Amino acid sequence: MKKLLLLTIILVLVFTMGACSQKNKSNTPENSVEAFLDSYKNGDIIKSMEYVENKTSTEIEQIKKNFIEDKDSKSSQAFLKTFSKIEYKIINSDVKKDFAIINTEITAPNLSKIIGQLIEEISSDNMSTDSIQSREDTLEKMADMDMIIGDKLLEKINSDNIPMVTKTINIKLVKKNGSWLIKTNNEFKRAITGNLVNTIYFD
């Protein structure tokens, strides 16, 4: 569970913390939104950060560790698989000088619902285990909880009937040094994490 929460917290923080922005090649706000979401879908989280206004080197390093160095872990694989299932459609744009609002429809796996189901299943399994195993055996099993959670989460994400959630949001961007950068907020984070922000109370 700690591994799952760590990955979630990192994703939320990297869209929240403030710092200097990197220059990117997009010269329209629509291009920046598409570039961010396409990179995010492809699992290139580092690349997607080039299109975000607020980020810190610390969060970038944490993402590198969890999604590049530790990419073979089941939890990381599950999140990357989740990102790949995101679909989006730009509906309209409102651009005024150095500020823009891009109305976008985003459909993503409903991670809030999926992880809620996962927690219920694991809690039920643990109660059942306590009734048939010794306390020592139960503690030993709990030591492998991160692996169990990763396996179950990946199984749910790979399911054909994975629950999805669709949100239509206004993505705000600001033009800095010739580049359009996304100004993230809770609405944006909910959309790209399938309401997971609500689940862990980062509102």
Short mmCIF file of all heavy atoms in Angstrom, two decimals, residues 52 57 63 99 127 170:
data_model
loop_
_atom_site.label_atom_id
_atom_site.label_comp_id
_atom_site.label_asym_id
_atom_site.label_seq_id
_atom_site.Cartn_x
_atom_site.Cartn_y
_atom_site.Cartn_z
N VAL A 52 4.04 21.79 -18.38
CA VAL A 52 3.39 22.20 -17.13
C VAL A 52 4.13 23.39 -16.55
O VAL A 52 5.37 23.41 -16.48
CB VAL A 52 3.37 21.03 -16.12
CG1 VAL A 52 2.83 21.49 -14.78
CG2 VAL A 52 2.53 19.89 -16.67
N SER A 57 12.52 20.27 -9.40
CA SER A 57 13.49 19.24 -9.75
C SER A 57 13.34 18.03 -8.84
O SER A 57 13.58 16.89 -9.25
CB SER A 57 14.91 19.80 -9.66
OG SER A 57 15.18 20.30 -8.36
N ILE A 63 9.85 11.11 -9.96
CA ILE A 63 9.18 10.45 -11.08
C ILE A 63 10.16 9.56 -11.84
O ILE A 63 9.83 8.46 -12.25
CB ILE A 63 8.54 11.49 -12.01
CG1 ILE A 63 7.24 11.99 -11.38
CG2 ILE A 63 8.26 10.91 -13.38
CD1 ILE A 63 6.43 12.89 -12.26
N PHE A 99 -2.89 34.30 -22.40
CA PHE A 99 -3.70 33.42 -21.55
C PHE A 99 -4.70 32.67 -22.42
O PHE A 99 -5.24 33.22 -23.38
CB PHE A 99 -4.45 34.24 -20.49
CG PHE A 99 -5.24 33.41 -19.53
CD1 PHE A 99 -4.63 32.73 -18.49
CD2 PHE A 99 -6.62 33.28 -19.68
CE1 PHE A 99 -5.36 31.96 -17.60
CE2 PHE A 99 -7.36 32.50 -18.79
CZ PHE A 99 -6.73 31.84 -17.75
N MET A 127 -9.06 -10.44 6.59
CA MET A 127 -9.95 -10.95 7.64
C MET A 127 -10.10 -12.46 7.52
O MET A 127 -10.08 -13.18 8.52
CB MET A 127 -11.32 -10.26 7.54
CG MET A 127 -11.30 -8.79 7.94
SD MET A 127 -12.91 -8.01 7.74
CE MET A 127 -13.86 -8.94 8.94
N ASN A 170 -12.01 22.86 -18.24
CA ASN A 170 -11.33 24.00 -18.84
C ASN A 170 -9.87 23.99 -18.41
O ASN A 170 -9.56 24.21 -17.24
CB ASN A 170 -11.99 25.31 -18.42
CG ASN A 170 -13.35 25.51 -19.04
OD1 ASN A 170 -13.56 25.18 -20.21
ND2 ASN A 170 -14.29 26.05 -18.27
#
